[in-house]
């Protein structure tokens, strides 16, 4: 678990974008993040169909997601809108 990055519990499945929007906090800054469904499926090794399973899958790899967000912050890989896209 990365103590520098805190992923909030505000997960929002966005079916039209086929991914999960969430926020993370880093050094007091709120960062909008988006995790595409194919990436989550790759991380979990599962085919995910319904929202309930998608949210459970996110929780099962939450610490890995925090680490990836930390890597992207370290690389300053922010999108033009200031968000991070995984």
């Amino acid at each position: 678990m990365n103590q520098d990055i805190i992923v909030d519990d505000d997960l929002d499945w966005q079916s039209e974008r086929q991914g999960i929007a969430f926020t993370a906090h880093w050094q007091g800054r709120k960062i909008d993040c988006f995790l595409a469904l194919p990436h989550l499926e790759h991380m979990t090794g599962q085919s995910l169909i319904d929202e309930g399973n998608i949210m459970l899958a996110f929780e099962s790899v939450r610490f890995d997601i925090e680490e990836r967000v930390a890597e992207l912050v370290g690389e300053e890989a922010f999108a033009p809108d200031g968000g991070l896209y995984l």
Side-chain angles (χ1 to χ4, degrees):
M1 178 169 69
N2 188 313
Q3 293 299 312
D4 294 330
I5 301 290
I6 305 294
V7 171
D8 294 325
D9 293 329
D10 61 347
L11 307 180
D12 179 32
W13 168 247
Q14 297 182 347
S15 60
E16 69 283 353
R17 294 176 64 196
Q18 289 294 288
I20 298 174
F22 61 96
T23 57
H25 286 275
W26 169 66
Q27 297 182 348
R29 178 180 169 198
K30 183 176 170 181
I31 303 168
D32 292 321
C33 302
F34 184 80
L35 175 64
L37 180 59
H39 189 73
L40 179 60
E41 289 178 326
H42 176 75
M43 292 177 77
T44 62
Q46 301 175 31
S47 266
L48 302 167
I49 298 169
D50 65 73
E51 183 176 348
N53 286 335
I54 291 166
M55 295 303 186
L56 288 172
F58 184 99
E59 291 301 333
S60 75
V61 293
R62 176 180 283 273
F63 297 131
D64 295 327
I65 292 167
E66 286 181 354
E67 288 297 322
R68 184 63 185 135
V69 169
E71 289 171 7
L72 292 171
V73 167
E75 295 168 5
E76 298 182 11
F78 298 98
D81 65 5
L84 293 174
Y85 294 84
L86 292 78

